[in-house]
Amino acid sequence: MSFETNEYFDGNVTSIAFQSETLPATVGVMEVGEYTFDAGAKEYMTVVSGNLTIQFPGYPEWTTFNAGETFEVPANTSFNVKVTVQTAYLCLYEK
Amino acid sequence: MSFETNEYFDGNVTSIAFQSETLPATVGVMEVGEYTFDAGAKEYMTVVSGNLTIQFPGYPEWTTFNAGETFEVPANTSFNVKVTVQTAYLCLYEK
């Protein structure tokens, strides 16, 4: 048995896919940097270690989420992420 | 740049190494099963999703830790883990 791992942005974002008790999920790590993610399904993203500063499309402001905090990403949107320390996250994907 | 990923127990435990703001760390996922881990350094383990039931050496009882809960593993010990659902964890390693 092997979990599926994926790399994005030249390996600056790496994740492991698994099945949580409720929804398909990934845990992953982001290197310091700025990224734009495209969300297909609605996502629930929780910061596990470090912090993520997020800008949602159409909103000028950036919001920082710290370890233990969760934000929702609407389906079929893209969002910008600034990462200032190596950061671990949990992401649940609405089916 | 690429994060280091590691597989243990034939891939039933898979982790990604990173540097947290305080200590070297991993996030990982465990498949349903029973495992014995050997801790070199003192570790702080936090359940991110799912749950881990732990038996420390010399203690007959098992203790279940749920998402958001943390337990300490003394240096140079081994401990038993029972996993009943695919479970994600964060581990910080004391230097």
Side-chain angles (χ1 to χ4, degrees), chain A residues 32-93:
Chain A
V32 172
E34 255 190 89
Y35 310 97
T36 299
F37 289 94
D38 296 311
K42 184 176 179 180
E43 299 179 4
Y44 303 90
M45 207 152 180
T46 301
V47 178
V48 168
S49 172
N51 57 77
L52 297 176
T53 300
I54 306 295
Q55 184 189 42
F56 290 105
Y59 291 86
E61 65 271 20
W62 293 78
T63 306
T64 297
F65 296 89
N66 296 302
E69 296 183 326
T70 299
F71 56 92
E72 283 186 28
V73 180
N76 305 310
T77 51
S78 62
F79 60 105
N80 300 317
V81 180
K82 280 186 201 165
V83 185
T84 58
V85 295
Q86 290 191 357
T87 292
Y89 66 91
L90 169 72
C91 194
L92 302 184
Y93 302 91

Side-chain angles (χ1 to χ4, degrees), chain B residues 18-50:
Chain B
F18 71 104
Q19 176 60 46
S20 81
E21 285 169 284
T22 52
L23 295 173
T26 58
V27 281
V29 176
M30 298 187 197
E31 181 55 275
V32 172
E34 255 188 89
Y35 310 97
T36 299
F37 289 94
D38 296 310
K42 184 176 179 181
E43 299 178 3
Y44 303 90
M45 207 153 181
T46 301
V47 178
V48 168
S49 171

Side-chain angles (χ1 to χ4, degrees), chain A residues 1-3 5 7 10-12 14-16 18-21 27-31 48-51 85-86 88 90, chain B residues 1-3 5 7 10-12 14-16 18-21 27-31 48-51 85-86 88 90:
Chain A
M1 193 285 163
S2 213
F3 289 102
T5 60
E7 295 193 358
D10 295 324
N12 284 297
T14 300
S15 68
I16 308 169
F18 71 104
Q19 176 61 45
S20 81
E21 285 169 284
V27 280
V29 175
M30 298 186 197
E31 182 53 276
V48 168
S49 172
N51 57 77
V85 295
Q86 290 191 357
L90 169 72
Chain B
M1 192 287 161
S2 213
F3 288 102
T5 61
E7 295 193 358
D10 295 323
N12 284 297
T14 300
S15 68
I16 308 169
F18 71 104
Q19 176 60 46
S20 81
E21 285 169 284
V27 281
V29 176
M30 298 187 197
E31 181 55 275
V48 168
S49 171
N51 57 76
V85 295
Q86 290 192 356
L90 169 71

